[in-house]
């Protein structure tokens, strides 16, 4: 097993952070993927897939679209100050844009892959890096699963579960836009026109009446955020057109179709001309904690970190949702770190190195027990 040294990890992570891989910046994301590819063993089967505004790197030790294990990461990040793209290390903590979400995982991913190449492992392993997770992953992971036919048997995605919390379930997302068309007139003769904002305000009121209580405290229930309500130009003009965006986060007990049907029914009663469109939809994930692969994974982490791994659901969405229909074990957990998207985004370097060792041990044991696990 190749040891991932602290100096190598810090150097590689610093280089990745310095590349300003905003989701929309195709040039910078390509530059980052080029760097990642340069770190991968030349004997690896590597594919670069472009779709829409995204590019995906798929590196496999065995050429297959159905690997035993996929290690999934994304290189794109949200915007930050210019100085956040210059990684700073204080003690064992690295600070910078994307160190936790989720560039820390990339040197770990290609080192795991290189180890399998060196050992001539028969375990099929895919290291996948995408470039559009922060905007939903529709040109990236969704395309890989639904169009390209990429269907791993196990998914490792360290994009949730900060501070060594194993994510056993995550909420789905259903983001909608509702458009309203009115008839503009001077507000002194409002009866001659139609205000496009009014039906949207009524719609929001009814939806809040149903879900507002869920929004008041942490729970595993459906929640709703009114993200944007926009319309009108002048105070003395009846609004001619308007729209509202709604962001539902829902558990595995419901579906996006059920939410859309509910909103459609409300909208129809208020104003049948309201137009509803989907802007982002993703399914919730749910992990069977009795699965032997899941148990083996957690055991590997507990042995390496010498501590009990906590298990909890997460409220945020990740590219893992695009694999939900495959009904495969989704292994989501991260080293110590946090404040993603914030001014002090950070990751603990020593924790990352232990995380790497735990994953490497898991892969070794998985290969040894593969036949039994798949029975």
């Amino acid at each position: 097993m190749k040891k991932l040294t602290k100096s190598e990890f810090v150097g590689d992570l610093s280089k990745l952070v310095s590349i300003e891989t905003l989701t929309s910046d195709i040039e910078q994301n390509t530059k980052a993927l080029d760097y990642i590819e340069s770190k991968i063993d030349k004997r690896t089967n590597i594919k670069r897939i472009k779709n829409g505004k995204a590019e995906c790197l798929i590196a496999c030790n065995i050429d297959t679209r159905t690997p035993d294990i996929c290690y999934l990461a994304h290189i794109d990040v949200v915007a930050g100050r210019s100085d956040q793209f210059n990684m700073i290390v204080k003690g064992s903590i690295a600070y910078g844009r994307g160190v936790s979400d989720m560039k820390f995982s990339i040197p770990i991913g290609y080192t795991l892959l290189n180890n399998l190449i060196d050992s001539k492992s028969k375990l099929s392993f895919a290291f996948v890096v995408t470039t559009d997770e922060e905007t939903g992953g529709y040109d990236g992971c969704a395309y890989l699963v639904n169009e390209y036919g990429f269907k791993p048997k196990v998914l490792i995605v360290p994009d949730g579960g900060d501070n060594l919390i194993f994510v056993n379930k995550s909420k789905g997302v259903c983001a909608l836009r509702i458009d309203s068309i009115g008839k503009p007139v001077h507000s002194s003769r409002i009866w001659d026109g139609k205000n496009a904002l009014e039906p949207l305000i009524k719609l929001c009121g009814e939806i809040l009446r149903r879900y507002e209580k869920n929004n008041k405290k942490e729970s595993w229930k459906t929640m709703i955020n009114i993200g944007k309500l926009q319309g009108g130009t002048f105070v003395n003009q009846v609004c001619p057109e308007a729209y509202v965006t709604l962001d539902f986060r829902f558990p595995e007990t419901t579906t996006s179709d059920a939410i859309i049907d509910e909103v459609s029914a409300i909208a129809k009663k208020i104003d049948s001309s309201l137009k509803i469109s989907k802007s982002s939809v993703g399914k919730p994930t749910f992990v069977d904690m009795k699965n032997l692969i899941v148990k083996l994974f957690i055991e590997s982490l507990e042995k390496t970190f010498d501590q009990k791994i906590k298990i909890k659901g997460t409220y945020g969405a990740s590219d893992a949702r695009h694999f939900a229909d495959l009904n495969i074990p989704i292994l989501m957990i991260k080293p110590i770190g946090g404040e993603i998207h914030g001014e002090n985004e950070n990751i603990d370097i020593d924790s990352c190195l232990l995380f790497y060792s735990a994953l490497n041990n898991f892969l070794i044991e998985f290969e040894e027990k593969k036949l039994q696990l798949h029975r």
Side-chain angles (χ1 to χ4, degrees), residues 93 162-164 305 334-338 346-349 351-352:
I93 310 299
D162 287 326
N163 301 316
L164 296 173
F305 282 92
K334 289 172 64 176
I336 296 170
N346 64 85
I347 198 75
D348 185 283
I349 297 166
S351 180
C352 288

Side-chain angles (χ1 to χ4, degrees), residues 309-324:
I309 297 297
K310 295 180 180 179
I311 299 168
K312 189 178 180 181
T314 186
Y315 302 105
S318 73
D319 272 343
R321 67 185 186 271
H322 299 300
F323 295 81

Side-chain angles (χ1 to χ4, degrees), residues 129-174:
V129 184
T130 64
T131 62
D132 70 334
E133 191 275 345
E134 297 293 356
T135 54
Y138 295 102
D139 287 341
C141 274
Y143 173 80
L144 291 183
V145 174
N146 300 321
E147 304 295 331
Y148 184 72
F150 185 74
K151 301 183 185 301
K153 299 179 181 70
V154 177
L155 182 70
I156 301 174
V157 51
D159 195 19
D162 287 326
N163 301 316
L164 296 173
I165 295 176
F166 182 83
V167 175
N168 65 333
K169 57 185 179 179
S170 63
K171 283 190 174 183
V173 58
C174 180

Side-chain angles (χ1 to χ4, degrees), residues 108-349:
I108 293 173
Y110 56 66
T111 306
L112 292 172
L113 174 60
N114 290 343
N115 283 344
L116 293 173
I117 293 286
D118 282 339
S119 66
K120 298 180 181 179
S121 172
K122 294 182 180 179
L123 178 73
S124 56
F125 180 90
F127 170 50
V128 176
V129 184
T130 64
T131 62
D132 70 334
E133 191 275 345
E134 297 293 356
T135 54
Y138 295 102
D139 287 341
C141 274
Y143 173 80
L144 291 183
V145 174
N146 300 321
E147 304 295 331
Y148 184 72
F150 185 74
K151 301 183 185 301
K153 299 179 181 70
V154 177
L155 182 70
I156 301 174
V157 51
D159 195 19
D162 287 326
N163 301 316
L164 296 173
I165 295 176
F166 182 83
V167 175
N168 65 333
K169 57 185 179 179
S170 63
K171 283 190 174 183
V173 58
C174 180
L176 305 177
R177 171 171 166 151
I178 299 94
D179 284 270
S180 174
I181 301 298
K183 179 183 176 183
V185 296
H186 194 278
S187 59
S188 63
R189 297 186 60 81
I190 193 170
W191 58 87
D192 285 334
K194 178 185 177 183
N195 193 313
L197 282 165
E198 289 183 8
L200 296 181
I201 292 170
K202 292 177 182 178
L203 175 71
C204 290
E206 176 59 23
I207 290 172
L208 285 176
R209 186 185 67 79
R210 300 185 185 198
Y211 291 101
E212 190 173 20
K213 287 184 180 179
N214 297 353
N215 291 353
K216 297 302 181 183
K217 61 181 180 179
E218 181 177 340
S219 75
W220 204 249
K221 297 179 180 179
T222 299
M223 297 180 175
I224 170 66
N225 178 57
I226 300 172
K228 190 174 185 180
L229 177 61
Q230 182 167 309
T233 305
F234 304 105
V235 69
N236 62 345
Q237 181 192 47
V238 172
C239 176
E241 55 186 18
Y243 71 90
V244 65
T245 60
L246 306 176
D247 186 345
F248 289 87
R249 302 297 170 128
F250 61 93
E252 70 280 359
T253 52
T254 190
T255 65
S256 58
D257 287 342
I259 290 171
I260 293 169
D261 287 345
E262 181 181 21
V263 174
S264 298
I266 297 170
K268 187 176 181 180
K269 288 182 179 179
I270 294 171
D271 187 336
S272 61
S273 69
L274 292 176
K275 183 181 178 182
I276 300 173
S277 57
K278 296 182 288 186
S279 55
S280 179
V281 173
K283 293 187 176 183
T285 62
F286 186 80
V287 180
D288 179 5
M289 297 306 299
K290 296 179 181 179
N291 183 284
L292 294 178
I293 296 171
V294 177
K295 287 184 175 182
L296 179 64
F297 183 76
I298 292 177
E299 286 172 5
S300 298
L301 288 160
E302 291 182 337
K303 287 179 184 177
T304 304
F305 282 92
D306 192 26
Q307 68 180 69
K308 189 74 174 175
I309 297 297
K310 295 180 180 179
I311 299 168
K312 189 178 180 181
T314 186
Y315 302 105
S318 73
D319 272 343
R321 67 185 186 271
H322 299 300
F323 295 81
D325 281 341
L326 300 184
N327 294 316
I328 61 174
I330 295 176
L331 310 176
M332 183 182 294
I333 190 171
K334 289 172 64 176
I336 296 170
E339 294 194 47
I340 63 170
H341 299 186
E343 292 190 0
N344 295 303
E345 183 173 352
N346 64 85
I347 198 75
D348 185 283
I349 297 166

Side-chain angles (χ1 to χ4, degrees), residues 25-43:
D25 196 326
I26 296 173
E27 180 180 349
Q28 290 300 302
N29 278 290
T30 298
K31 180 180 178 181
L33 292 182
D34 289 343
Y35 175 75
I36 293 167
E37 185 172 346
S38 75
K39 305 293 291 187
I40 298 173
D41 192 293
K42 303 305 178 186
R43 294 168 290 178

